[in-house]
Amino acid sequence: MSVLEEMRIRSLGVIDDAVVELSPGFTAVTGETGAGKTMVVTSLGLLLGGRADPALVRIGSRAAVVEGRITVSPGDAVAARAEEAGAEFDDGALLISRTVSAEGRSRAHLGGRSVPVGVLAELADELVAVHGQTDQQGLLKPARQRQALDRYAGEGVAGPLAAYTVAYRRLRAVLTELDELTTRARERAQEADLLRFGLGEIAAVEPRAGEADELAAEAERLGHAEALASAASLAHTALAGNPEDPEGIDATTVVAAAGRALDAVRAHDPALAQLADRIGEISILLSDVAGELAGYADQLDADPLRLAAVEERRAALTALTRKYGEDIDAVLVWAEDGTDRLAELEGDDDRIGELTAERDALRAELSGLGQALTDARTGAAERFAGAVTEELASLAMPHARVSFDIRQTEASDEGSGIDIGGRSVVCGPSGADEVELLLAPHPGAQPRPIAKGASGGELSRVMLAVEVVFAGSDPVPTYLFDEVDAGVGGKAAVEVGRRLAKLARSAQVVVVTHLPQVAAFADRQLLVEKTVDGAVTSSGVTVLEGEDRVRELSRMLAGQEDSQTARAHAEELLAAARADG
């Protein structure tokens, strides 16, 4: 559990420089009226992201500074958020500081790092619950009341709420996907039509990989068929001769003559024999080339119709590359991807049907779970309201009645909500219920939201009763009550002290009080005193023990710290409080 260990306050209101040492359990802060007790509440408010008022800066000072040291349990929400903000821990403690200048500028530090004031405010909800004459209003949020009621209800709500949360998240995902599919139906239909058209064009042409290069080569050949044929014929004649010109000279005849000349004498010199063999190879090669030239010329297709067909095919391929890719290979890749995408688009109707069925099933499931949540909350609310009402009877509010308003908001579209009690209602991540705590302070009064139905003093006592009932279920580890005992005295004051002590068994409780009956129940009592010049200095906040505590309680009882009657009464209060604890 997190515990506020101490605060140092400098130049804030009447406080010049003082250290407030706190401890687990119940701490009472007492002192003369105007001594600066409420500055403890104000300081904590600043420390946890409250509004910075330059009027709080002590006259003559440049700035007010509040520093706090809070032990934090590893792994809890506060530690995680602090680490996220870059804070460092000092031997398991979190150091927080807030500075407010006389000009109104404000700075915040968390664990040695400068942070936005909003970060401190985020930590406030997890660290401290402040209940004072003006502070409770912001703390009585319906959302917080619903969370507290859920914790009070225990497993009766926790079980269905866990299942509800899973189903709700899935429903949100399904609705998001459905919305995307249905709102973009026109765009998807247009995309599908374009894909079908493109795939149809490509299918009509039936391109092959590498076909464009083959056609380019064929077109080049066909476009120069006559020149190629003439060149092949001339080359053939030069190599093999012309049958119609027996006297003509050709390469084959010349090489053959050279070979015969060497063959006649090759036996006389091996080197010459090698040259004769090479001439023989040349002769064979010339014959082969001459034969291939003759075959090339015979097979050469000079058909203009074929050339036209090739050019037409090339034009069809070029039309595809202009639209679908830089070359035919890219066009084929586009066609493959387009086929997959078209199958996906054409499957959207089936997907919409699947999602619609899942949406309806999830809404039916949420309706059942939502009804279970409503029933569990209603039952817990009755128990809780009865317990708080009973607490209030002992806190000088015997006729007050507390109740819960658990309601739902009708869904504007019947198909968009879930069914609770035969009605289609709006649902959220925690169910369909809107929870608000109501108070009727006296018989005949209409129950009203608790923040509006009680005066400041009544509200503090109501909140005390609420916190006592919620003790152990609310995760906030520290409670700070300012003037929680306003408007009470006598037996009721004793009951206030008793209940604060009860609350302190499961949390840290700090109370600013003027009632000795309340202070007597504290585990530690702090006295705030001003010096003769009207300032609270470093020696102005002291821990009272033994005789000093009796003297302070005597002063609170009778205004006379040396009154024997008051001292006897003070000792009696302390003894009774210890016996009660």
Side-chain angles (χ1 to χ4, degrees), residues 220-416:
E220 184 72 14
R221 186 170 65 252
L222 290 172
H224 299 83
E226 291 184 2
L228 292 172
S230 175
S233 177
L234 289 175
H236 178 269
T237 298
L239 292 178
N242 187 348
E244 297 179 357
D245 183 13
E247 301 298 326
I249 300 174
D250 58 82
T252 302
T253 300
V254 171
V255 171
R260 288 193 298 273
L262 294 179
D263 284 342
V265 294
R266 63 182 297 161
H268 303 299
D269 187 352
L272 190 63
Q274 290 180 359
L275 292 174
D277 291 340
R278 292 172 66 184
I279 289 177
E281 293 172 359
I282 292 173
S283 180
I284 295 171
L285 181 61
L286 286 173
S287 297
D288 290 342
V289 172
E292 290 181 13
L293 285 172
Y296 175 83
D298 291 340
Q299 294 175 3
L300 189 63
D301 186 2
D303 184 359
L305 294 179
R306 174 56 187 167
L307 178 60
V310 169
E311 294 296 350
E312 182 179 356
R313 179 67 176 176
R314 292 183 70 198
L317 295 179
T318 300
L320 295 182
T321 57
R322 280 200 302 267
K323 293 182 179 181
Y324 308 112
E326 60 183 13
D327 54 32
I328 291 302
D329 288 344
V331 170
L332 293 173
V333 170
W334 186 95
E336 183 178 353
D337 293 343
T339 300
D340 294 340
R341 176 58 177 162
L342 183 59
E344 180 182 334
L345 292 172
E346 290 176 338
D348 280 349
D349 289 341
D350 293 337
R351 181 59 179 159
I352 288 174
E354 294 172 1
L355 290 172
T356 300
E358 185 177 3
R359 177 201 64 192
D360 295 341
L362 286 168
R363 280 185 175 150
E365 181 183 358
L366 287 173
S367 293
L369 292 169
Q371 185 67 63
L373 284 173
T374 299
D375 294 343
R377 284 170 177 155
T378 301
E382 292 176 358
R383 297 192 303 273
F384 167 79
V388 173
T389 298
E390 184 177 341
E391 288 288 331
L392 289 176
S394 300
L395 295 173
M397 296 179 68
H399 304 297
R401 294 290 180 270
V402 169
S403 61
F404 269 106
D405 179 20
I406 299 178
R407 60 187 181 274
Q408 299 82 33
T409 299
E410 296 275 355
S412 57
D413 176 7
E414 189 169 327
S416 65

Side-chain angles (χ1 to χ4, degrees), residues 459-472:
L459 185 53
S460 291
R461 278 174 279 161
V462 171
M463 289 310 302
L464 173 58
V466 168
E467 301 297 4
V468 169
V469 172
F470 275 142

Side-chain angles (χ1 to χ4, degrees), residues 68-72 78 82 87-90 92-96 110-111 123:
R69 180 182 178 89
I70 300 174
T71 58
V72 179
V78 173
E88 296 181 358
F89 294 88
D90 180 19
L94 187 61
L95 304 180
I96 305 176
L110 179 67
L123 299 180

Side-chain angles (χ1 to χ4, degrees), residues 173-188 341 344 348 352 355:
V174 167
L175 290 175
T176 298
E177 188 174 352
L178 263 176
D179 181 65
E180 193 276 335
L181 289 176
T182 54
T183 57
R184 292 187 55 207
R186 178 177 299 176
E187 291 88 342
R188 291 198 319 279
R341 176 58 177 162
E344 180 182 334
D348 280 349
I352 288 174
L355 290 172

Side-chain angles (χ1 to χ4, degrees), residues 503-525:
L503 181 61
R505 294 171 189 165
S506 58
Q508 182 183 33
V509 177
V510 181
V511 179
V512 176
T513 183
H514 67 279
L515 290 181
Q517 296 93 330
V518 173
F521 280 88
D523 300 307
R524 168 179 285 199
Q525 185 171 347

